[in-house]
Amino acid sequence: MQNPIATITLNNGSKIVLELRPDYAYNEVCSFISVAQKGYYNNFAIQRIVPGSWIDASYNAFFRKECQYFLPNRIEEESKGEIKIPEFGDVCLGYFSDTEIAGAEFFFPLQRVEALKGKCPVFAQVIQGAEELHRIEKVETYPNPYEPVEINVPRNPEIMVTVEVETFGVDYPEPEKIIPEKMPENWPTFA
C-alpha cells in the first residue's frame, strides 16, 4: 500500500510535499488527513518561526473550534517501540502533555530534537520543498510579546494556500480524539 502524499502550496507558488507515515503514527496521520480534507489548513498564515529550532504552522488550533482537540499519546505503541527522534525533514504534531498530543497543530523541526522524542510524534517526511523551510526560517519576523513562549511572526505572511492529500484510494477514518475540558490559554474562545 502506498503512503498518502500531502502537498502544501504556499502563497509564493512553491510547494512542500510530504509523505505521510501511518506506520509511524496512524492516528496522527488520520487527524492530519481529516483536517486537510475539510479545508481547515487552507489560506492560513504560518504563525511561529524559531530559527534553528522549528516552524509552527499554527500555535492556536488554526483559530477553529473544529481543530481544538487532542489525540491520545500512543507514540510508543504505534511505532512498535521504534520511536523516531524529530529532525529536519520530519513533520510532527505538537506537544501538549505526556498523555495528550495536539490533534491539528503541526510543525517542521529545523534540527534534531532529542527532547521531543516520545512527545511530538513524527507523522510525515518532507520529500520535496525542503529548501522552502530554509527560506521561511530566514524571513524577517517580529516578536509577539503577548505569548508565554517565543513566538516570531513573519512580517510578510507565509500562507499555506492549500493543503491537499492524495490517499491513493485508501479511506482513513476520523481520528480518535480527546476533547479537553479546559482549553489551552493560547486557543481562541468561541461563544
Side-chain angles (χ1 to χ4, degrees):
M1 176 169 63
Q2 187 168 354
N3 285 337
I5 300 294
T7 303
I8 301 170
T9 302
L10 301 172
N11 56 316
N12 68 356
S14 298
K15 296 181 187 308
I16 300 173
V17 181
L18 317 176
E19 178 183 4
L20 305 185
R21 298 298 303 265
D23 56 322
Y24 287 176
Y26 183 80
N27 196 44
E28 291 79 358
V29 165
C30 291
S31 180
F32 181 87
I33 290 172
S34 173
V35 175
Q37 288 179 336
K38 291 171 183 161
Y40 298 154
Y41 294 143
N42 294 347
N43 297 308
F44 195 83
I46 291 170
Q47 290 187 299
R48 181 182 186 208
I49 299 170
V50 182
S53 294
W54 49 73
I55 297 169
D56 274 343
S58 169
Y59 182 63
N60 55 24
F62 296 91
F63 293 110
R64 298 199 65 109
K65 187 172 181 61
E66 301 90 342
C67 295
Q68 293 184 343
Y69 63 88
F70 299 119
L71 305 175
N73 185 341
R74 293 199 190 112
I75 299 172
E76 177 105 24
E77 174 188 329
E78 289 185 339
S79 67
K80 299 172 183 60
E82 297 292 323
I83 301 173
K84 183 162 186 346
I85 297 169
E87 59 188 330
F88 182 77
D90 290 334
V91 190
C92 304
L93 286 185
Y95 174 75
F96 181 70
S97 75
D98 289 342
T99 58
E100 298 168 324
I101 295 164
E105 297 175 357
F106 68 94
F107 70 96
F108 299 93
L110 296 172
Q111 64 177 341
R112 185 176 172 90
V113 191
E114 301 251 359
L116 297 182
K117 179 181 179 183
K119 295 181 178 183
C120 296
V122 174
F123 73 92
Q125 260 95 41
V126 176
I127 58 173
Q128 180 186 324
E131 67 280 358
E132 278 300 297
L133 298 178
H134 288 303
R135 181 190 66 76
I136 292 169
E137 177 186 17
K138 295 178 178 91
V139 302
E140 185 180 355
T141 62
Y142 63 90
N144 181 341
Y146 302 105
E147 294 293 345
V149 297
E150 182 182 2
I151 303 289
N152 302 312
V153 181
R155 191 162 297 284
N156 295 308
E158 295 290 334
I159 299 170
M160 298 184 300
V161 177
T162 59
V163 178
E164 300 171 310
V165 181
E166 172 59 63
T167 64
F168 303 102
V170 176
D171 289 325
Y172 287 84
E174 283 293 309
E176 181 183 340
K177 299 177 182 178
I178 299 169
I179 307 301
E181 290 181 24
K182 183 177 185 300
M183 294 293 175
E185 291 179 11
N186 64 308
W187 283 2
T189 304
F190 298 95

